[in-house]
Every structure is written in C-alpha cells, then in structure tokens.
Amino acid sequence: MMDASAPRMVEAFAHPAGSIAVGVPGGAVGWRGSLLNIHTASAASYEMEERAEARCVAGRGIEGDRYFLGSGTYSPKPDTREVTLIEQEALDAINRNDPPLQSGPLHIAPIDHRRNLTVRGVPLNHLVGRRFRVGEVILRGGRLNFPCKYLEELLGQPVYLPLYNRSGLNCGIERGGIIRVGDTIEMVD
C-alpha cells in the first residue's frame, strides 16, 4: 500500500506523450548504454548529492530524492518525474558550445543539471513510451524533460537554450530495485 503522504505522480504511460508513443511501433533499437552518475537532492534547491547506488521504488521515485519525498520544486504539480535521465553526450556538446547557442562553452558537470541519472549511449529522445532496463530496474519513458529558467538561476549560467530539446527524459518506475553506477541500460521490448 502506498503511503498517503506520497507525492502524486502521473504514470509514465498515462502521460499524454507516453500514452501516444506506447501504441506506436518504433523508437531506437540496437543500442546498449551505461549509467555514469546517480544524483539526488532531499529538497528543492538543495545541492545534488552523488551516490554510487540508489533504491528505486515503483510509483514513487528514488528513495531520499526530493520528488520521492514530495519536496521538489515541481512536486505540487503531478507529472511523470519518478526518475529523470540526461545524456552525457548532450552535456559534452553543451560544454563545447555545439551548436553555438551561447557566447562560448559552458561547464555543466553531471552534478549540476539536476537530473537523477547521467547516462552514455542511451537515445533518450527515442524512449518516450518505451520500457527499458537500468541494471535490475525497469523504467517507462513518460515525456521529454524541458529546461527551465529556474535551473539557469541555480547555476548562474545561460543553460536554457542549450538544453532545449536535449534536457533529458522523465520516467516512471515499473519495477523497482537497486541501481548502481556502471549498470548496463538496454531496451526491454
């Protein structure tokens, strides 16, 4: 039974983007990625903490994270945000100013972007409405994450435009368990 104080999440495949995509064949195939970093924060605006492993709870999020606890900036607005992922490749491009969307290169480290998981080799934009595995945990891609001006304020850098369309993926947890840095990430079906 779920705790009555748990934040209200929208099931990933019930989100408008996820519900449309789940019924359409497609998405990227033939890839295999890895989990580079795990980060959580216990409340809105708190600094992210790096973790070697974390427990993911279906329907709730990562234990100890602000959205698991209902203390995130956007917790009052129910959405699919049990786990958020971002591609290291997108961060690398932004750090090179590729494409040149700001006056010069930025420095966004994995601990800065405020997503829970930083991954490599995972085509996140193609995983809306898809099931995939991170170690023993199964996630459902619900919707693409969008950057916000709030992140610019926290970082003191012009990251809004460079992160647009490559700001990650908001997911629901279908099957919980422990994730660890170095875990393999692959499609389930």
Side-chain angles (χ1 to χ4, degrees), residues 4 13 18 25 42 44 46 71 82 90 93 95 103-104 114 134-135 138 150 176 182:
F13 287 178
S42 60
Y46 280 35
S71 59
E82 293 171 26
N95 291 341
S103 61
R114 306 202 59 81
V134 179
I138 296 178
Y150 177 67

Side-chain angles (χ1 to χ4, degrees), residues 4 10 15 17 37 55 71 81 83 86 95 97 139 145 153 159 161 169 171 182 186:
V10 173
H15 187 279
N37 303 94
R55 177 175 300 281
S71 59
R81 61 173 57 92
V83 178
I86 194 166
N95 291 341
N97 196 19
L139 300 180
N145 192 299
E153 292 171 22
V159 297
L161 186 56
L169 179 67
C171 296
E186 56 194 353

Side-chain angles (χ1 to χ4, degrees), residues 7-10 67 72-81 143:
R8 191 171 141 240
M9 297 285 184
V10 173
Y67 290 106
T73 300
Y74 301 105
S75 289
K77 299 178 181 183
D79 201 346
T80 302
R81 61 173 57 92
R143 74 165 177 90

Side-chain angles (χ1 to χ4, degrees), residues 106-129:
L106 298 175
H107 178 72
I108 302 176
I111 202 162
D112 295 334
H113 54 67
R114 306 202 59 81
R115 308 299 177 256
N116 299 120
L117 310 181
T118 307
V119 301
R120 182 179 303 284
V122 182
L124 295 178
N125 283 17
H126 299 277
L127 297 181
V128 173

